[in-house]
Amino acid sequence: MLITHDLTYRYPGAATTFRFPDLSVDRAGTLLLLGPSGAGKSTWLHLLAGVLSPLAGRMELDGVDYAALSGAKLDRFRGRNIGLVFQRPYFVDALTVEENLAIARRMASLPPDPELLRTTLHQLGIDDHADRLPGQLSVGEQQRATIARALVNRPKLILADEPTSALDRRNASRVSALLRERAAELGAALIVVTHDERLRDDFRQVVELTSLATPN
Ligand code: ADP
Ligand code: ADP
């Protein structure tokens, strides 16, 4: 499970400090962080992802305080335990969808597993596109490929930043359902940050934010 305690963050030189509410998300738990643009949601997610280092506080995933890790240890921990779905799909454009997934495993020093890649692409309904370049996929398909990539290391924690904002209602609800189904199957905790009110009813736990910034 994921537990955070007294997490804070300040951008270099900023006059304000973000103070994040404590979180507790069980294995297979789902949490929606809902709030307006500028509230600090992406900053929060980047902390939980280990992309930004907190000013203070603890973040524990199955008992490991990864806020205290850095460098190669943090990279290894993140690669093996955390799946990230970014706001905008990004891929190595010159490689196929399947090759992009294979790289995610290699970067975490996990053995190749072509069958798992194919199964994951199939579950997301894009196995027909495995051999295509990412640029040849529609926006919705690229978003599903991004989710597939976040799953192939079988993470304990899946973090998604505005995964549905760029999608129409039908695709948004499909992507939301896919994230929840796949997280449940892996027994992973799922945290989504968004301003997309359409997702509110899909999640067990919802935290609503206004602004998390406070004067230093
Ligand atoms: P979002 O679409 O998540 O609301 P923002 O518009 O807040 O994103 O920010 C987009 C990017 O610009 C972020 O990745 C952030 O790092 C950067 N950014 C936002 N505000 C500032 C700022 N005041 N100074 C420097 N960079 C910023
Ligand atoms: P949200 O995801 O809720 O839209 P963000 O976490 O992207 O919010 O940004 C929250 C606030 O943090 C922004 O309004 C911006 O002023 C500030 N911010 C974001 N990125 C940076 C940055 N790289 N440097 C300085 N300030 C930033």
Side-chain angles (χ1 to χ4, degrees):
M1 74 184 303
L2 174 76
I3 296 170
T4 73
H5 186 65
D6 286 349
L7 268 191
T8 58
Y9 184 76
R10 187 186 305 149
Y11 284 104
T16 54
T17 302
F18 290 99
R19 293 175 197 286
F20 300 97
D22 290 349
L23 295 178
S24 172
V25 189
D26 291 336
R27 260 180 80 86
T30 64
L31 169 65
L32 187 69
L33 304 176
L34 193 62
S37 187
K41 302 184 301 297
S42 291
T43 305
W44 201 355
L45 203 80
H46 288 146
L47 283 174
L48 297 175
V51 174
L52 292 174
S53 307
L55 184 65
R58 283 189 289 121
M59 327 185 264
E60 287 179 15
L61 188 59
D62 286 354
V64 178
D65 181 7
Y66 63 103
L69 301 179
S70 61
K73 277 191 180 156
L74 177 61
D75 289 343
R76 184 182 163 86
F77 181 86
R78 190 173 44 220
R80 292 182 168 229
N81 293 288
I82 301 177
L84 277 173
V85 180
F86 291 100
Q87 195 164 356
R88 287 166 208 82
Y90 80 94
F91 296 99
V92 181
D93 294 330
L95 299 180
T96 67
V97 169
E98 187 167 3
E99 287 165 345
N100 269 276
L101 266 55
I103 284 183
R105 284 188 66 84
R106 193 150 13 126
M107 293 209 322
S109 307
L110 292 167
D113 191 339
E115 200 178 319
L116 175 65
L117 302 193
R118 286 283 167 168
T119 304
T120 306
L121 289 169
H122 176 72
Q123 287 170 333
L124 289 160
I126 48 172
D127 40 340
D128 287 354
H129 301 339
D131 298 326
R132 294 204 191 164
L133 299 177
Q136 296 172 317
L137 273 55
S138 72
V139 176
E141 289 163 349
Q142 286 183 23
Q143 193 59 358
R144 280 184 271 150
T146 302
I147 294 170
R149 184 182 46 196
L151 298 173
V152 292
N153 295 352
R154 308 187 69 80
K156 290 180 183 158
L157 173 63
I158 298 168
L159 302 171
D161 192 0
E162 301 280 4
T164 58
S165 308
L167 305 176
D168 61 31
R169 179 175 284 278
R170 201 173 121 262
N171 276 308
S173 95
R174 182 137 189 238
V175 159
S176 169
L178 284 169
L179 276 170
R180 287 176 289 119
E181 285 162 17
R182 301 278 63 89
E185 187 198 55
L186 286 175
L190 172 66
I191 300 179
V192 172
V193 311
T194 193
H195 66 268
D196 189 347
E197 291 278 346
R198 297 176 297 187
L199 298 185
R200 182 189 288 276
D201 296 335
D202 290 349
F203 286 74
R204 230 175 288 164
Q205 250 183 299
V206 179
V207 173
E208 285 198 57
L209 329 164
T210 45
S211 179
L212 295 166
T214 55
N216 293 341

